[in-house]
């Protein structure tokens, strides 16, 4: 399980080496998971290769949207990034990908989901907690452990009020569901709405701050995003089946979801069906 935190500049050397080693292993694992998922629905090897390449390219584009500060370099290096991931290989130490440095842009416009203080209503604060829970579950399923500090979804809720309010019907149905499959289905809809609205930006921005190598950050992020894209796309049925069991052990989820439903009903926030 990979744990990341802000402030990588002063990390001990042994920890930095361990961080990079874990990142490499995790990235390879993610690509293998993608291949396995693709194999379930495709037996033709050339077609499979095309699908995996397309999925990885989409993941690079998605990462560029999630972390705009790195968008220019990601777009410039997209096809080379995908080639190395497809081949499960590493660029040479003096190659372009290994020499790319993180962009110095850190303003709030570039990182819309960064931890900034915003004024929110009680309902919006409850929505931010639900979003954190949903993102934590999804990232946990790709073996990421969300840091307890440094990530907030209040800025995302503030910037996307309609999408945040659109979660409320699913939150309400989640609380009223009597079967595990129903809860999983509602959770899936919540997580998908957050993901497709760039709600995972805070996670990959925080990961960016925790790593020293641009290439290792890209490799790990793209691999993870490719898997998430599969879960919200062609592998959605398998993902919901996984969620059915995953949610059985997440007790805090029900408490936070129920609290959000009650708070937002009390403050009369309109539900968008």
């Amino acid at each position: 399980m990979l744990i990341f935190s802000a402030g990588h500049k002063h990390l001990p050397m042994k920890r930095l080496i361990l961080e990079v080693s874990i990142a490499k292993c995790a990235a390879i694992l993610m690509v293998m998971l993608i291949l396995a998922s693709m194999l379930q629905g495709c037996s033709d090897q050339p077609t499979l290769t095309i699908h995996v390449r397309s999925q990885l390219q989409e993941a690079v584009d998605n990462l560029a949207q999630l972390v705009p500060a790195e968008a220019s370099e990601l777009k410039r290096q997209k096809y080379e990034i995908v080639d190395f991931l497809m081949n499960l290989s590493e660029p040479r130490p003096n190659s372009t990908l290994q020499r790319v440095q993180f962009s110095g842009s850190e303003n709030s416009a570039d990182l819309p989901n960064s931890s900034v203080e915003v004024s929110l209503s009680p309902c919006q604060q409850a929505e931010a907690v639900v979003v954190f829970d949903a993102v934590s579950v999804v990232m946990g399923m790709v073996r990421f452990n969300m840091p307890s500090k440094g990530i907030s979804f209040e800025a995302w809720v503030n910037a996307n009020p309609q999408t945040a309010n659109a979660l409320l019907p699913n939150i309400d149905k989640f609380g009223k569901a009597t079967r595990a499959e129903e809860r999983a289905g509602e959770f899936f809809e919540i997580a998908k709405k957050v993901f497709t609205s760039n709600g995972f930006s805070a996670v990959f921005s925080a990961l960016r701050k925790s790593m020293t190598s641009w290439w290792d950050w890209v490799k790990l992020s793209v691999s993870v995003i490719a898997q998430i894209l599969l879960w919200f796309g062609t592998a959605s049925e398998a993902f919901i089946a996984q969620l059915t069991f995953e949610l059985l052990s997440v007790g805090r989820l029900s408490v936070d979801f129920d609290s959000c439903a009650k708070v937002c009903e009390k403050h009369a926030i309109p539900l968008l069906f």
Side-chain angles (χ1 to χ4, degrees), residues 130-268:
V130 165
V131 173
F132 181 90
D133 288 347
V135 173
S136 295
V137 169
V138 174
M139 296 304 294
M141 292 176 71
V142 285
R143 301 300 183 264
F144 268 70
N145 187 31
M146 291 279 284
S148 59
K149 297 181 180 179
I151 288 187
S152 169
F153 293 92
E154 293 185 352
W156 179 83
V157 169
N158 186 60
N160 301 273
Q162 289 188 330
T163 303
N165 287 345
L167 304 178
L168 295 177
N170 302 110
I171 293 172
D172 184 60
K173 292 176 183 177
F174 180 95
K176 295 178 179 178
T178 57
R179 297 170 61 243
E181 296 87 347
E182 294 173 353
R183 285 162 56 95
E186 295 304 328
F187 179 90
F188 173 85
E189 293 300 329
I190 291 169
K192 184 175 181 179
K193 288 176 182 178
V194 174
F195 181 76
T196 55
S197 301
N198 292 338
F200 283 58
S201 174
V203 176
F204 295 101
S205 294
L207 179 60
R208 172 179 177 264
K209 291 181 181 179
S210 77
M211 301 184 74
T212 55
S213 166
W214 187 87
W215 163 245
D216 284 326
W217 170 73
V218 168
K219 175 176 57 177
L220 183 56
S221 299
V222 169
S223 301
V224 169
I225 291 171
Q227 179 63 58
I228 295 175
L229 286 170
L230 271 177
W231 280 341
F232 292 132
T234 56
S236 60
E237 291 185 5
F239 181 44
I240 292 174
Q242 285 180 265
L243 283 170
T244 301
F245 298 102
E246 185 74 19
L247 297 180
L248 293 176
S249 60
V250 189
R252 185 68 196 175
L253 212 61
S254 296
V255 175
D256 290 341
F257 279 39
D258 183 60
S259 176
C260 180
K262 291 179 179 178
V263 169
C264 291
E265 182 180 11
K266 178 179 178 181
H267 289 269

Side-chain angles (χ1 to χ4, degrees), residues 78-171:
K78 179 169 74 171
Y79 296 107
E80 192 172 0
I81 291 170
V82 172
D83 284 342
F84 278 106
L85 290 177
M86 288 289 296
N87 295 323
L88 296 179
S89 59
E90 289 288 308
R92 294 180 178 179
N94 62 345
S95 66
T96 301
L97 285 176
Q98 292 284 16
R99 288 187 286 107
V100 174
Q101 300 295 313
F102 286 110
S103 168
S105 177
E106 294 287 353
N107 59 56
S108 59
D110 285 329
L111 301 175
N113 297 312
S114 57
S115 298
V116 295
E117 292 187 6
V118 293
S119 178
L120 299 179
S121 69
C123 177
Q124 289 176 312
Q125 292 174 355
E127 289 171 339
V129 172
V130 165
V131 173
F132 181 90
D133 288 347
V135 173
S136 295
V137 169
V138 174
M139 296 304 294
M141 292 176 71
V142 285
R143 301 300 183 264
F144 268 70
N145 187 31
M146 291 279 284
S148 59
K149 297 181 180 179
I151 288 187
S152 169
F153 293 92
E154 293 185 352
W156 179 83
V157 169
N158 186 60
N160 301 273
Q162 289 188 330
T163 303
N165 287 345
L167 304 178
L168 295 177
N170 302 110
I171 293 172

Side-chain angles (χ1 to χ4, degrees), residues 51-100:
H51 283 173
V52 174
R53 181 175 294 277
S54 176
Q55 196 78 29
L56 290 170
Q57 289 175 353
E58 185 180 355
V60 175
D61 291 337
N62 194 277
L63 180 60
Q65 293 178 10
L66 293 173
V67 188
E70 301 298 337
S72 177
E73 198 64 48
L74 286 167
K75 293 176 182 178
R76 185 180 299 113
Q77 306 292 345
K78 179 169 74 171
Y79 296 107
E80 192 172 0
I81 291 170
V82 172
D83 284 342
F84 278 106
L85 290 177
M86 288 289 296
N87 295 323
L88 296 179
S89 59
E90 289 288 308
R92 294 180 178 179
N94 62 345
S95 66
T96 301
L97 285 176
Q98 292 284 16
R99 288 187 286 107
V100 174

